[in-house]
Amino acid sequence: MPKMSDTMEEGVIAQWLMKVGDEVKSGDILAEVETDKATMELESYFDGVLLHIGVSEQEAVPVDGIIAVIGEKGEDVDSILKNANGSAKEEKTVEKAESPKPKSEKKEVDTSDINATLITMPKMSDTMEEGTIASWLKKEGDEVSSGEVIAEIETDKATMEFESYWDGTLLYIGPKEGDAVRVDGVLAVIGEKGADFQALLDAHENSENGEEGVEDEPLKSEPKAEATPSKTTKEAQAVTSSSPDNGRIKASPLAKKMAEELGYDLSKIKGSGDAGRIIKRDVESYTPSAEAPVAAAPDSSAPVHLPQVVGEETFTEENLSQMRKTIAKRLSESKFSAPHFYLTMEINMDNVIAARKSMNEIAPVKISFNDIIIKAAATAIRRHPNVNVSWLGDKIRKNSHIHIGVAVAIPEGLIVPVVRFADNKTVSHISAEVKDLAGKAANKQLQPEDWEGSTFTISNLGMYGIEEFTAIINPPDSCIMAVGGIKQAPVVKDGQVVPGNVMKVTLSCDHRAVDGAVGSEFLQTFKSLLEDPVRILI
């Protein structure tokens, strides 16, 4: 499988145009391959017979993976494939031999005689990766009973109470309040007084470092089943309650939040937790009927009968296309690696509307607002070349040429064909080229030279009625301009408020390569060109 684009990692065989046994000449089209950008033809560079097809249609193959064998009629295909696979295995073996994994020098720790249990961070939600210790409700040396809440943990969803499922003494507390701990990270040790909890910690550390770890043994006084992490995960939400103490009501954060959302008075809820602490189940079981309603309607006590809704939950799942996989990967990398900042400007489009009407009276093709925007952006870039740069990690590439990428939506996702040397082209030329590129994109006929090499990108959603949005930078560009729709709004002219047509644009910049002042100066020039379109021609 050849690498057909700069970002391609695998290709899907859309269709085989040859079958096993066919004569093949150099230049013949063997198959159509769906890449992350388009569906492209795969040429043969060899003469011979198609001896073997190793990939079925609609099957994905990584770059450099074997898809077929071409050779002389009667050749032993099995030996060819065996030799190819053997070479690949040899390469992997050599790589492993060159970089052996360092072995830990730590010795196995025996914890079988330790009457203590290592407590780790439970997974309290399906998306939780780590939890933050909001508060410890016990301190080292305290006696702990099964069912007592020993800590409050802030997850990605809520602040939840963490119960102990063991009886004993709290021998060790690892993280402090405010510290974040990953799922399965060490929280504490509960066991008999004087137990060697350090051995448990050493064994856990060894198991994390790849050594043959020893599972933590539960307290001998407790059944082993009670130390099951899944129980902790499922029941971590069931926690303690409170009662007034010197004027302060003791309640868990979750209980406080629930009571606030439901409008309950915490002072009237009886807590069932440690020292009368109010917990989640107390709020859930509380009935506020005893309270006198403040401004209840005469019939407020009448039950409300809601109609029964009958429905069926359905969904479908589709495998990701190569294009969608690459969009997800590249834009995630851009968003999370490039520090974006955004500059928004409002532009009066009255003169552009008039100029476009005049242009279309004599233009060989119909000119759109987007065509004029591309030309104005290219002209502004020529005056502010510091936005026309690429971040390359250890250096910045300052591009002298101006290639404008134009984001085009197609059913499979988003593709960015490029208008090359846009500053040197007329608006009519740009219009004809953009229409041609958009048509090729819709028919999956774009070639690598059509989408590679942009230095600045424009994304226009104005035709969908979007007034303003922010776009994610298209690497390796350092800027992308999001263009909203033109709408009528009051504007000030000569001290008078009059109706006008305005458009908002937002420039997303990679702060590693472009500073705020540089982006602002570019937008000022871009605004002046659109508000007086004659300047575009100078």
Side-chain angles (χ1 to χ4, degrees):
M1 174 65 71
K3 188 177 178 72
M4 294 175 165
S5 77
D6 54 341
T7 58
M8 176 177 170
E9 295 183 355
E10 65 178 14
V12 172
I13 302 296
Q15 180 183 5
W16 281 105
L17 304 179
M18 295 276 189
K19 61 183 184 295
V20 173
D22 285 353
E23 292 283 340
V24 178
K25 293 181 180 179
S26 177
D28 285 351
I29 307 300
L30 295 174
E32 293 178 348
V33 177
E34 181 189 343
T35 73
D36 57 327
K37 304 283 188 177
T39 299
M40 305 174 68
E41 295 176 337
L42 175 65
E43 283 188 23
S44 170
Y45 295 98
F46 317 97
D47 296 330
V49 176
L50 185 56
L51 302 173
H52 170 75
I53 290 178
V55 183
S56 303
E57 292 182 356
Q58 304 306 319
E59 201 171 315
V61 187
V63 169
D64 295 331
I66 296 174
I67 54 177
V69 177
I70 294 174
E72 293 182 3
K73 195 169 186 178
E75 271 192 279
D76 186 1
V77 175
D78 291 338
S79 64
I80 295 172
L81 294 173
K82 186 176 179 182
N83 290 337
N85 293 330
S87 299
K89 288 179 181 178
E90 283 177 14
E91 287 179 9
K92 290 181 181 179
T93 305
V94 170
E95 286 177 8
K96 288 182 180 179
E98 289 176 350
S99 56
K101 292 184 180 179
K103 293 183 178 179
S104 173
E105 296 180 359
K106 294 186 180 180
K107 297 180 180 179
E108 183 179 323
V109 181
D110 184 10
T111 61
S112 58
D113 295 328
I114 300 174
N115 293 327
T117 301
L118 193 71
I119 312 300
T120 59
M121 175 68 75
K123 189 176 178 72
M124 293 175 164
S125 77
D126 55 342
T127 59
M128 177 177 169
E129 294 183 355
E130 65 177 19
T132 300
I133 303 298
S135 64
W136 283 105
L137 305 180
K138 295 285 185 179
K139 60 183 183 296
E140 288 184 3
D142 284 356
E143 292 293 324
V144 178
S145 300
S146 176
E148 278 192 285
V149 177
I150 60 175
E152 293 172 340
I153 297 175
E154 182 183 343
T155 73
D156 57 334
K157 300 289 179 74
T159 299
M160 305 169 72
E161 295 173 336
F162 180 56
E163 282 188 21
S164 169
Y165 293 95
W166 306 272
D167 296 327
T169 301
L170 187 57
L171 303 173
Y172 168 81
I173 289 177
K176 299 177 182 177
E177 292 182 357
D179 287 352
V181 183
R182 59 178 177 74
V183 171
D184 293 331
V186 176
L187 291 180
V189 178
I190 295 176
E192 291 183 357
K193 276 188 178 180
D196 183 14
F197 63 84
Q198 188 59 49
L200 285 177
L201 298 175
D202 292 343
H204 183 81
E205 184 178 353
N206 282 354
S207 66
E208 286 191 328
N209 291 335
E211 290 290 314
E212 187 179 347
V214 180
E215 290 186 4
D216 304 328
E217 293 290 336
L219 288 174
K220 293 186 176 178
S221 60
E222 293 291 319
K224 191 168 183 178
E226 289 188 7
T228 306
S230 61
K231 184 177 179 182
T232 308
T233 304
K234 292 178 181 178
E235 298 183 9
Q237 294 182 17
V239 267
T240 42
S241 134
S242 113
S243 63
D245 182 22
N246 295 329
R248 186 176 74 85
I249 298 174
K250 290 191 286 185
S252 72
L254 184 59
K256 290 177 182 178
K257 184 178 179 182
M258 289 177 63
E260 183 180 354
E261 291 174 350
L262 296 170
Y264 294 169
D265 185 352
L266 276 175
S267 64
K268 297 182 179 180
I269 300 176
K270 185 176 180 181
S272 62
D274 186 25
R277 194 162 180 264
I278 299 173
I279 58 174
K280 176 186 174 185
R281 59 171 171 259
D282 300 320
V283 178
E284 289 176 335
S285 61
Y286 174 66
T287 304
S289 57
E291 299 180 21
V294 177
D299 59 344
S300 61
S301 58
V304 177
H305 298 285
L306 296 176
Q308 184 178 5
V309 178
V310 179
E312 182 182 358
E313 294 182 358
T314 62
F315 63 87
T316 60
E317 293 181 353
E318 297 179 357
N319 292 330
L320 292 177
S321 66
Q322 299 304 110
M323 180 178 290
R324 180 56 62 186
K325 286 180 185 177
T326 302
I327 290 171
K329 180 180 178 182
R330 288 194 42 138
L331 294 187
S332 295
E333 288 174 352
S334 173
K335 184 65 175 177
F336 298 124
S337 65
H340 287 52
F341 72 90
Y342 309 97
L343 303 169
T344 301
M345 185 169 280
E346 190 173 85
I347 301 170
N348 188 320
M349 296 293 285
D350 287 345
N351 291 336
V352 172
I353 293 172
R356 175 175 176 262
K357 183 178 179 182
S358 179
M359 289 178 187
N360 278 329
E361 290 176 357
I362 59 171
V365 293
K366 186 176 181 181
I367 294 170
S368 69
F369 289 113
N370 197 52
D371 302 327
I372 300 173
I373 288 167
I374 293 169
K375 178 64 178 179
T379 305
I381 290 169
R382 178 59 64 202
R383 300 184 193 179
H384 302 279
N386 286 334
V387 300
N388 196 42
V389 298
S390 302
W391 177 262
L392 302 180
D394 57 348
K395 54 190 172 184
I396 295 176
R397 175 180 293 167
K398 295 189 174 182
N399 301 296
S400 300
H401 56 281
I402 299 172
H403 293 350
I404 303 292
V406 183
V408 175
I410 58 176
E412 291 79 10
L414 187 71
I415 196 163
V416 186
V418 179
V419 179
R420 301 180 186 278
F421 307 106
D423 57 322
N424 295 330
K425 294 177 178 177
T426 64
V427 178
S428 295
H429 189 154
I430 291 172
S431 179
E433 190 169 334
V434 169
K435 287 178 174 61
D436 180 57
L437 290 169
K440 286 182 177 179
N443 296 322
K444 293 186 176 181
Q445 295 174 341
L446 289 175
Q447 297 302 306
E449 60 268 19
D450 294 326
W451 67 67
E452 293 175 352
S454 68
T455 61
F456 186 96
T457 307
I458 294 175
S459 179
N460 191 340
L461 293 178
M463 67 285 292
Y464 298 104
I466 302 300
E467 295 181 7
E468 180 183 358
F469 69 103
T470 58
I472 299 174
I473 295 167
N474 178 37
D477 299 356
S478 292
C479 295
I480 182 170
M481 186 163 63
V483 180
I486 301 171
K487 69 168 188 175
Q488 286 197 325
V491 297
V492 178
K493 286 186 178 179
D494 301 324
Q496 300 292 321
V497 178
V498 296
N501 294 279
V502 297
M503 177 184 77
K504 287 185 178 180
V505 297
T506 299
L507 185 69
S508 304
C509 304
D510 182 346
H511 216 327
R512 298 173 299 182
V514 178
D515 294 328
V518 172
S520 300
E521 290 168 357
F522 163 79
L523 281 182
Q524 284 181 332
T525 300
F526 177 73
K527 174 184 171 78
S528 68
L529 291 171
L530 287 182
E531 292 188 344
D532 190 0
V534 174
R535 297 185 183 186
I536 298 175
L537 307 176
I538 299 174

